[in-house]
Amino acid sequence: MNVPEIKKDFPILQRKMRDKPLTYLDSTATSQKPQQVIDSMVDYYSRYNANVHRAIYELGEEATRAYEGARERIAEFIGAKDPMEVAFTKSTTESLNVVAYGYALKSGRLAKGDEVLGTVLEHHSNHVPWHFVRDLKGIVLKYVDVDDEGHLRMEQYDELITKRTKLVTVAHVSNVLGTITDVKEIAKRAHEVGAVCVVDAAQSVPHLPVDVAALDCDFLAFSGHKMLGPTGIGILYGKKEMLEATEPLLGGGEMISEVHLGSAKWNDVPYKFEGGTPPIAEAIGLGAAVDYLTKLGMLAVRQHEMELTAYALEKLAKIPGVRLYGPRSVKERGGVVSFTMDKAHPHDIASILDVEGVCIRSGHHCAQPLMERYDLAATARASFYVYNDLEDVDRLVAALEKVNEVFA
């Protein structure tokens, strides 16, 4: 992968922080945006800004073609059989809430005593919606544990899945440990008892090839801003029959086919989930991001991140006092490295690195149950993407050595 050329596409990476090169290692939180994505949104607002699915004049038709064109390219990117299996939402969180409220709560498909099986790996966005369903419906929540290295304890699926299990949900890649879970196997076990499989793919779709047909999951959620696209746009993929069985969250214009005083009939999927004026520019920007990643090739993206992660794990392990978390094998993890240092709190680490122009995340990463599993309050986390190279890892290592000097 030609990272020097890729870096030229990202205007923000040309700036300096305190006269030092900006080293951005927080793409798990949000990615940077290439000029091509920025230009696509400026082009929409500059040349054909109009609402979609309403107007019969040319501007409106151009906007609708661009909006639906983005949906088609996103569907192809994740291996969906039909673009109508892809709904635009605000975020991964909103997509998961649509499933929790629309499928698990409002549709009446889950009853008191039914079980939802998650894992301790999940981001809060895949914990909290199920708490709501439990509190309002009386369902039972169960969780698969991880081992000390961060792998899901797959044998627990045999112990925890029962005839009362109606829904199984899992993060494809942990945003803390980087653990890649075996979604295909988990979906298979869910289907054996008639349960549906819901996947939080916020950290997988941006970083490795994802094929929803091969995974055979029923729902899959991810965000645009973590994959070079803008904020304010997310995707809910669902098998068509699953989307049809799901009630919409929002009522209003465009999500209905007809309305009468006292009654309404929902529009076809996915439009029944896109009430009101949708995020048009954001959808177009996400389409441009998909084009950018497609041109790079997701296999190449994955290989590049594996190389960076292997290099980082090797270098960080040599720094006195650094403790690393997650699978040891880079084949089993995404481009995320979480760590602690004996003499410094993660917030202090991040602050000192900031002075050196190195941006990392510190805290519980919206995964407090996982922190509790390892008896941690917080970790520091470096995460990599297409615009990072080995020099970025070297700057991280040099900055961490300064942390040790400060706290010696």
Side-chain angles (χ1 to χ4, degrees):
M1 187 166 287
N2 190 342
V3 178
E5 287 301 312
I6 291 173
K7 286 194 177 200
K8 293 177 183 176
D9 289 335
F10 292 79
I12 199 170
L13 298 181
Q14 313 312 314
R15 68 171 292 186
K16 292 193 173 183
M17 306 297 292
R18 301 177 184 84
D19 293 327
K20 296 174 181 174
L22 170 60
T23 304
Y24 188 78
L25 300 175
D26 195 19
S27 295
T28 293
T30 194
S31 67
Q32 299 302 339
K33 323 303 176 192
Q35 191 65 53
Q36 292 85 336
V37 168
I38 297 168
D39 287 346
S40 72
M41 298 176 71
V42 171
D43 187 47
Y44 162 69
Y45 283 125
S46 303
R47 288 200 313 109
Y48 58 101
N49 175 51
N51 216 326
V52 295
H53 301 145
R54 291 164 172 82
I56 59 172
Y57 50 82
E58 180 58 23
L59 279 184
E61 291 178 354
E62 282 186 34
T64 300
R65 284 197 295 272
Y67 180 77
E68 292 300 328
R71 191 195 308 275
E72 291 172 5
R73 301 204 298 285
I74 294 162
E76 183 178 2
F77 188 68
I78 61 171
K81 296 176 182 174
D82 186 338
M84 297 300 101
E85 293 179 322
V86 168
F88 289 118
T89 64
K90 184 177 68 179
S91 59
T92 303
T93 298
E94 183 172 293
S95 296
L96 292 168
N97 273 271
V98 169
V99 180
Y101 278 92
Y103 181 83
L105 189 62
K106 292 175 68 178
S107 73
R109 290 174 181 271
L110 270 69
K112 184 177 181 180
D114 285 341
E115 299 168 356
V116 169
L117 179 58
T119 83
V120 300
L121 278 176
E122 305 307 313
H123 187 278
H124 292 168
S125 59
N126 203 24
H127 278 301
V128 181
W130 308 111
H131 294 178
F132 292 158
V133 179
R134 176 199 58 198
D135 295 344
L136 293 169
K137 204 79 173 183
I139 64 164
V140 177
L141 299 180
K142 294 180 173 180
Y143 302 99
V144 173
D145 197 7
V146 290
D147 62 22
D148 290 343
E149 201 176 310
H151 301 102
L152 276 184
R153 292 182 59 190
M154 293 298 291
E155 74 278 8
Q156 286 195 339
Y157 280 97
D158 296 329
E159 302 165 10
L160 297 175
I161 289 181
T162 73
K163 292 181 180 178
R164 297 304 303 265
T165 305
K166 302 299 182 189
L167 190 146
V168 177
T169 186
V170 64
H172 196 178
V173 175
S174 164
N175 70 312
V176 179
L177 305 177
T179 305
I180 299 174
T181 61
D182 189 349
V183 169
K184 187 174 182 179
E185 175 63 22
I186 293 167
K188 174 176 170 289
R189 297 195 191 190
H191 293 157
E192 287 173 350
V193 296
V196 301
C197 180
V198 182
V199 180
D200 175 357
Q203 302 298 340
S204 63
V205 169
H207 300 283
L208 50 88
V210 171
D211 185 326
V212 292
L215 295 176
D216 196 25
C217 56
D218 298 290
F219 295 102
L220 182 136
F222 59 98
S223 294
H225 73 98
K226 296 179 189 292
M227 53 186 292
L228 311 182
T231 57
I233 184 80
I235 296 296
L236 173 62
Y237 158 81
K239 292 178 179 173
K240 203 165 183 181
E241 63 272 22
M242 290 295 145
L243 292 179
E244 288 171 344
T246 303
E247 295 287 308
L249 275 186
L250 303 175
E254 287 302 305
M255 53 76 65
I256 43 80
S257 62
E258 55 184 85
V259 178
H260 308 282
L261 294 178
S263 67
K265 183 179 179 182
W266 306 150
N267 205 341
D268 295 334
V269 296
Y271 303 112
K272 72 175 182 179
F273 303 109
E274 299 175 6
T277 296
I280 303 167
E282 288 78 5
I284 291 169
L286 178 53
V290 164
D291 290 344
Y292 192 94
L293 289 169
T294 300
K295 188 175 180 181
L296 292 178
M298 291 308 295
L299 281 173
V301 171
R302 169 65 177 145
Q303 183 62 37
H304 175 66
E305 290 188 24
M306 288 174 65
E307 291 171 3
L308 289 177
T309 304
Y311 186 70
L313 290 173
E314 179 189 352
K315 291 288 186 179
L316 265 64
K318 295 177 180 175
I319 300 175
V322 166
R323 191 183 304 272
L324 298 164
Y325 301 93
R328 295 185 183 89
S329 169
V330 294
K331 293 182 180 178
E332 299 172 340
R333 63 188 297 160
V336 180
V337 176
S338 280
F339 59 95
T340 54
M341 300 180 76
D342 289 347
K343 297 178 180 177
H345 188 280
H347 290 345
D348 293 326
I349 298 171
S351 295
I352 293 172
L353 264 59
D354 178 48
V355 175
E356 301 300 318
V358 179
C359 305
I360 66 164
R361 175 80 179 270
S362 63
H364 55 59
H365 313 296
C366 299
Q368 283 187 290
L370 185 61
M371 292 288 124
E372 291 169 355
R373 166 64 179 79
Y374 291 106
D375 195 24
L376 293 167
T379 71
R381 182 189 71 191
S383 53
F384 311 115
Y385 210 7
V386 296
Y387 37 70
N388 293 125
D389 55 20
L390 298 183
E391 289 185 6
D392 291 328
V393 178
D394 288 339
R395 292 193 188 100
L396 168 68
V397 170
L400 291 176
E401 288 170 345
K402 291 200 173 183
V403 173
N404 268 344
E405 291 173 12
V406 170
F407 287 93

